[in-house]
Amino acid sequence: SIVIPHGSFVAYLGMEKNSLEGYLFPDTYFFYPGDEPDVVLGTMLDNFERQIRSVEVSLALARFGRPLQEVLTMASLLEREAADMQNRRIIAGLLWNRIEEGMLLQVDAAFLYINGKNTFELTKADLAENDPYNTYKNLGLPPGPIGNPSLDAIIAAATPIETDYVFYLSDRTGILHYSKTHDEHVRLKARYLD
């Protein structure tokens, strides 16, 4: 676990929004009380480099061919949108296709980063908020990751499953429902969320 000396690590990370987001690998770390922020950051960044250089991850990234920053940004969304690899890969395929088609991603998880609200707390005003991370207003991926994704989420982002799905939603129990048409999506929303 990380020991934060007098809040200096948090202040150090606050140098620029999103400057290291996505690159601080989530893991268990052991530090001595009083360790300098540079030591903590260096350890986390070194671990990130080791993890993405592993054979499985480096091959997946090379085969996929998109820039690492894009993969990490997608992975950070997937980390919050689904709990298992299969659903993360399906959602990755759906979202990459939306980008290719010039559609808005409309990913609610971005609001956890923007204003701390989850899907069930969002209002129409939230969805209309002018923020570069608002995937309801801005085409494509957000400017950077919304968190530090796990290895599974990174691999899922780089190994999307191609489907005919265009929409998905998570019901109140966390079960994901996919649809191929907007009408079908509206019916699923009425059934599971209203």
Side-chain angles (χ1 to χ4, degrees):
S1 62
I2 295 175
V3 175
I4 301 171
H6 311 294
S8 61
F9 182 66
V10 173
Y12 190 83
L13 287 179
M15 11 176 226
E16 180 182 316
K17 185 178 181 182
N18 195 38
S19 60
L20 295 174
E21 199 82 65
Y23 295 88
L24 301 175
F25 193 75
D27 208 342
T28 300
Y29 296 91
F30 297 96
F31 297 103
Y32 292 104
D35 274 350
E36 293 296 318
D38 285 341
V39 171
V40 175
L41 287 175
T43 302
M44 295 175 84
L45 291 168
D46 287 347
N47 189 20
F48 171 81
E49 287 294 326
R50 270 193 310 280
Q51 298 293 338
I52 63 165
R53 280 197 219 125
S54 71
V55 173
E56 181 182 12
V57 179
S58 61
L59 280 175
L61 290 170
R63 286 183 186 136
F64 192 54
R66 287 190 181 255
L68 180 60
Q69 177 75 4
E70 289 183 16
V71 173
L72 290 177
T73 301
M74 178 64 77
S76 72
L77 298 173
L78 299 175
E79 186 74 40
R80 297 289 188 169
E81 289 291 292
D84 65 90
M85 180 64 97
Q86 179 74 6
N87 280 306
R88 285 177 177 168
R89 291 183 65 212
I90 291 170
I91 294 170
L94 185 156
L95 294 177
W96 288 124
N97 282 341
R98 285 179 143 235
I99 289 170
E100 294 301 317
E101 296 294 324
M103 296 175 67
L104 291 167
L105 293 183
Q106 297 181 321
V107 176
D108 292 354
F111 288 94
L112 289 168
Y113 190 73
I114 295 169
N115 60 20
K117 292 184 179 180
N118 68 35
T119 297
F120 308 110
E121 300 168 322
L122 292 174
T123 65
K124 288 184 179 181
D126 293 324
L127 300 180
E129 189 174 332
N130 283 324
D131 187 287
Y133 287 82
N134 184 345
T135 59
Y136 280 77
K137 296 268 299 182
N138 304 296
L139 286 172
L141 289 166
I146 63 165
N148 296 295
S150 65
L151 211 51
D152 279 354
I154 294 169
I155 293 168
T159 59
I161 294 175
E162 294 296 322
T163 67
D164 292 333
Y165 299 130
V166 181
F167 302 95
Y168 70 100
L169 63 84
S170 178
D171 67 23
R172 294 185 186 277
T173 64
I175 295 173
L176 287 154
H177 303 273
Y178 299 96
S179 51
K180 298 176 183 176
T181 67
H182 186 262
D183 288 344
E184 184 181 0
H185 181 63
V186 169
R187 283 194 300 274
L188 289 174
K189 278 180 81 172
R191 181 175 180 183
Y192 293 108
L193 299 180
D194 293 341

